[in-house]
Amino acid sequence: TIQDCLIHDSGLAVEGGNDFPTYFNDSYSASLYKLRYLENTTAFRSKVQYNSMLYALPGYCAARTSKTTWNELIKTNLLDPLGMTTATTSYYDFMNSSNHVTPYKLLKNGTMKAYDIIPDPIGPAGSMACSISEMANWLRFQIADTGYYDGVQIVTKKELDTIVVPGICNHAKNTSMIGYGWATKDNGTTIYHDGDSDAFFSQITIYTTKGLGM
């Protein structure tokens, strides 16, 4: 189901299938088809095993339901209302923007080499790029927890609450739970998510009872 994709309980290996689009240049549909040939490493719905290939699927489902592309759906319904006008959802748009950074990898010989993998096939799970100032707009929207930004409703409060509802345990001692994108701990007073793409890394944490995010 859509929920299984969002809470990473498919049983597929951590990031299983990522090689299809990133190293073999497969389209998302071709990569998704190939997932049937991967064996599960845990039982279905038994534990969290983060998988970007499946996390991207609900984004594409939403786009198909709306009869548009995921990139346009996100721009129209999220980025533009949040004032994130320079944010991009495509690697090519990112590289063509007037102000962007280049990711590097440190080679074994000690030199740095420009390094990039095109994330567009799994766009909903990691192709977005934006500035710190525009990311702060999104963070303020999350902290406000109303569904509104600058007087404009982006989602309902019920929809916003849904994404932090714990779906499955993410820790052996039950201290962390995975929701629809957020992980929660300390009885929901802390929600967070980290991630990486190419040579980029991010970490976002919100302390819900303190109105604080970083």
Side-chain angles (χ1 to χ4, degrees), residues 18-70:
N18 267 14
D19 289 353
F20 301 146
T22 54
Y23 294 113
F24 295 98
N25 296 319
D26 287 335
S27 66
Y28 183 75
S29 58
S31 301
L32 188 66
Y33 184 88
K34 289 181 178 181
L35 287 185
R36 70 192 62 203
Y37 302 116
L38 299 182
E39 292 187 5
N40 277 24
T41 57
T42 61
F44 179 45
R45 292 179 175 168
S46 65
K47 65 179 295 186
V48 171
Q49 297 204 128
Y50 203 97
N51 189 284
S52 297
M53 276 292 300
L54 287 182
Y55 193 81
L57 184 56
Y60 288 127
C61 289
R64 178 173 292 188
T65 298
S66 301
K67 295 180 173 56
T68 185
T69 64
W70 174 78

Side-chain angles (χ1 to χ4, degrees), residues 116-143:
D116 59 353
I117 290 178
I118 300 173
D120 288 16
I122 53 174
S127 71
M128 191 178 297
C130 62
S131 66
I132 286 292
S133 59
E134 291 191 356
M135 193 70 174
N137 293 358
W138 177 84
L139 191 56
R140 283 193 290 269
F141 165 69
Q142 293 288 345
I143 292 171

Side-chain angles (χ1 to χ4, degrees), residues 192-203:
Y192 63 96
H193 195 286
D194 55 14
D196 62 89
S197 178
D198 301 347
F200 298 117
F201 299 84
S202 63
Q203 167 72 54

Side-chain angles (χ1 to χ4, degrees), residues 68-119:
T68 185
T69 64
W70 174 78
N71 308 73
E72 283 301 316
L73 183 69
I74 289 298
K75 176 176 172 56
T76 301
N77 291 277
L78 185 69
L79 299 180
D80 286 350
L82 288 177
M84 300 174 69
T85 56
T86 67
T88 61
T89 58
S90 161
Y91 170 83
Y92 301 100
D93 289 343
F94 171 67
M95 294 303 293
N96 287 325
S97 62
S98 60
N99 183 10
H100 68 268
V101 295
T102 300
Y104 286 84
K105 287 288 187 182
L106 179 63
L107 303 183
K108 290 182 179 180
N109 64 8
T111 61
M112 299 292 287
K113 178 179 175 60
Y115 175 88
D116 59 353
I117 290 178
I118 300 173

Side-chain angles (χ1 to χ4, degrees), residues 2-9 48-50 55 58 159-171 176-185 188 190-193:
I2 294 295
Q3 173 173 290
D4 293 310
C5 294
L6 294 176
I7 64 176
H8 305 288
D9 66 359
V48 171
Q49 297 204 128
Y50 203 97
Y55 193 81
E159 289 167 337
L160 197 60
D161 289 343
T162 299
I163 65 174
V164 299
V165 173
I168 190 169
C169 179
N170 188 37
H171 191 278
S176 176
M177 300 287 288
I178 287 288
Y180 294 172
W182 288 110
T184 68
K185 62 181 181 179
T190 302
I191 59 177
Y192 63 96
H193 195 286

